[in-house]
Amino acid sequence: MDIVHIRFNQLNSIMDEHVAAIGNFDGLHAGHQKVIERSKKLALKHKMKLGLLSFDITPRQVVNNIDNYYVLKSLDQKNKMLEDLGVDTLFLIHFNHEIKNMSPIDFINNVIINNNIKYLVCGFDFRFGKDKAGDTDLLKKQSKFETVVLDKVEFDNKKIGSTAIHEYLSHGEIEKANQLLNKNYSIIGKVITGNQKGRTIGFPTANIRPIVNYRIPQVGVYATKVIYKGKEYIGMTNIGHNPTFNFSQTASIETNIIDFDEDIYGEEIEVVFYKAIRRERIFDGIDCLIEQLKSDREEIVNYFNS
């Protein structure tokens, strides 16, 4: 997949005609995937390349001046998924205050027409330009390219969107979040040294530091799979503050990788979430905690083997 960086008042020499999906695509969820799928059908029909127009950072970060912005996927995860979906060219708009204040017509000329896009596909509520003054009606009036607008896609009586996914994850509703993503939610991180308490009670864990500022699911225990060097392992993941022993103000992400015994400190692993098992709670003592962990692990193994 080729990546073309779009900056303010910078001319590009894109020779190939493209059908392009346009939007934030921050979560690449089921709604986004429908836009890309429709674009792909048009690209095949018209024998053009498939493109995707998006932003290098989410616009609301700049608009609302948010530094601590939570994401659903890292850039590498998104790029890998786009390649799997068949995208030929990723047009990355460098979003800054100049782009934010660009008029809708200037946006059309600089971003769409300038990059040889002949068919544009977007969601029903796509807006662009200064004060979000540009909409799908304006796009449809353009003569140098054709615009296809997709209807709203809903789940659980609400629009499929990144906001809903963030809400589900914050409430630990992993299975609903996964349905909206059309893919299991995952976090990539580097294995770091923790307090190693789990090792002393028979449940050694890989404690990870996420590579980006992911939306972390609600504290609790989850059925997960761990991907390490291309192989999958069953995991029991705890997100929490360790309230029974060694309480920490900052929630940690620790995974007991089942039937696994390798030293992976400093290595990068991906934790893939499948199901919430229980919420975090305080136990009366070490024996109660061990018995609960045994029960959790058995439930998780049975879940994956059923």
Side-chain angles (χ1 to χ4, degrees):
M1 181 176 70
D2 295 324
I3 299 178
V4 175
H5 294 275
I6 300 174
R7 295 180 179 274
F8 182 72
N9 277 341
Q10 175 180 297
L11 290 176
N12 287 319
S13 55
I14 306 299
M15 302 302 294
D16 295 309
E17 295 181 335
H18 280 75
V19 174
I22 189 169
N24 289 334
F25 299 105
D26 45 345
L28 277 178
H29 53 64
H32 293 150
Q33 290 170 42
K34 285 188 178 295
V35 174
I36 296 170
E37 287 166 9
R38 183 65 179 276
S39 304
K40 188 173 184 177
K41 288 179 181 177
L42 279 172
L44 290 171
K45 177 181 177 181
H46 297 286
K47 296 181 180 178
M48 295 180 181
K49 285 198 170 184
L50 174 60
L52 186 135
L53 269 164
S54 192
F55 302 93
D56 56 358
I57 59 173
T58 303
R60 67 172 67 97
Q61 285 181 256
V62 175
V63 174
N64 299 325
N65 196 26
I66 300 172
D67 292 325
N68 193 31
Y69 188 78
Y70 296 108
V71 300
L72 299 174
K73 285 182 173 64
S74 70
L75 187 59
D76 284 344
Q77 283 175 298
K78 284 167 54 171
N79 289 352
K80 173 65 169 60
M81 191 169 173
L82 290 175
E83 288 183 338
D84 291 342
L85 289 168
V87 174
D88 297 304
T89 308
L90 171 60
F91 297 95
L92 270 182
I93 305 164
H94 177 57
F95 195 89
N96 54 23
H97 287 283
E98 289 177 315
I99 292 289
K100 170 180 173 286
N101 292 312
M102 185 180 285
S103 73
I105 292 300
D106 283 344
F107 183 92
I108 287 169
N109 289 328
N110 279 273
V111 174
I112 301 171
I113 295 172
N114 183 40
N115 286 288
N116 211 7
I117 291 164
K118 301 302 179 183
Y119 291 87
L120 190 72
V121 183
C122 61
F124 74 100
D125 57 351
F126 177 69
R127 302 192 73 91
F128 60 97
K130 185 177 180 180
D131 300 325
K132 296 185 178 180
D135 58 13
T136 55
D137 288 335
L138 179 60
L139 291 172
K140 285 182 175 180
K141 292 176 183 176
Q142 306 307 307
S143 60
K144 292 188 177 179
F145 59 90
E146 185 175 322
T147 300
V148 177
V149 180
L150 272 62
D151 294 332
K152 178 166 64 173
V153 183
E154 291 186 325
F155 170 80
D156 205 21
N157 294 319
K158 63 176 71 174
K159 173 197 164 188
I160 290 181
S162 298
T163 299
I165 297 168
H166 281 283
E167 288 176 358
Y168 284 138
L169 291 171
S170 294
H171 292 96
E173 297 181 90
I174 289 294
E175 289 169 293
K176 285 186 176 181
N178 288 345
Q179 282 184 278
L180 266 65
L181 286 165
N182 202 25
K183 185 180 178 68
N184 289 88
Y185 186 64
S186 69
I187 291 173
I188 296 174
K190 181 171 286 190
V191 179
I192 60 175
T193 303
N195 59 38
Q196 298 185 323
K197 183 71 176 179
R199 187 175 300 278
T200 65
I201 60 173
F203 292 89
T205 60
N207 189 321
I208 69 166
R209 178 184 293 124
I211 60 171
V212 294
N213 198 29
Y214 288 105
R215 169 65 67 184
I216 306 301
Q218 186 183 51
V219 295
V221 176
Y222 295 88
T224 59
K225 285 192 176 179
V226 174
I227 300 174
Y228 171 62
K229 291 189 175 179
K231 291 185 178 181
E232 278 190 349
Y233 305 88
I234 293 175
M236 175 172 66
T237 297
N238 180 77
I239 297 174
H241 303 275
N242 299 315
T244 304
F245 304 100
N246 303 310
F247 178 83
S248 170
Q249 290 287 347
T250 304
S252 61
I253 306 170
E254 301 175 78
T255 300
N256 173 235
I257 309 175
I258 298 169
D259 295 329
F260 181 86
D261 186 23
E262 290 185 38
D263 182 356
I264 56 173
Y265 286 115
E267 299 284 349
E268 198 169 85
I269 63 174
E270 182 174 8
V271 179
V272 187
F273 291 81
Y274 283 79
K275 181 185 178 183
I277 299 300
R278 63 173 173 85
R279 294 286 157 252
E280 182 177 61
R281 62 188 179 88
I282 300 175
F283 293 91
D284 291 334
I286 193 74
D287 291 336
C288 291
L289 173 60
I290 291 172
E291 287 305 309
Q292 183 61 60
L293 290 175
K294 287 179 179 178
S295 176
D296 294 338
R297 184 167 60 184
E298 183 179 4
E299 182 178 348
I300 290 168
V301 171
N302 289 337
Y303 168 77
F304 284 115
N305 290 337
S306 62

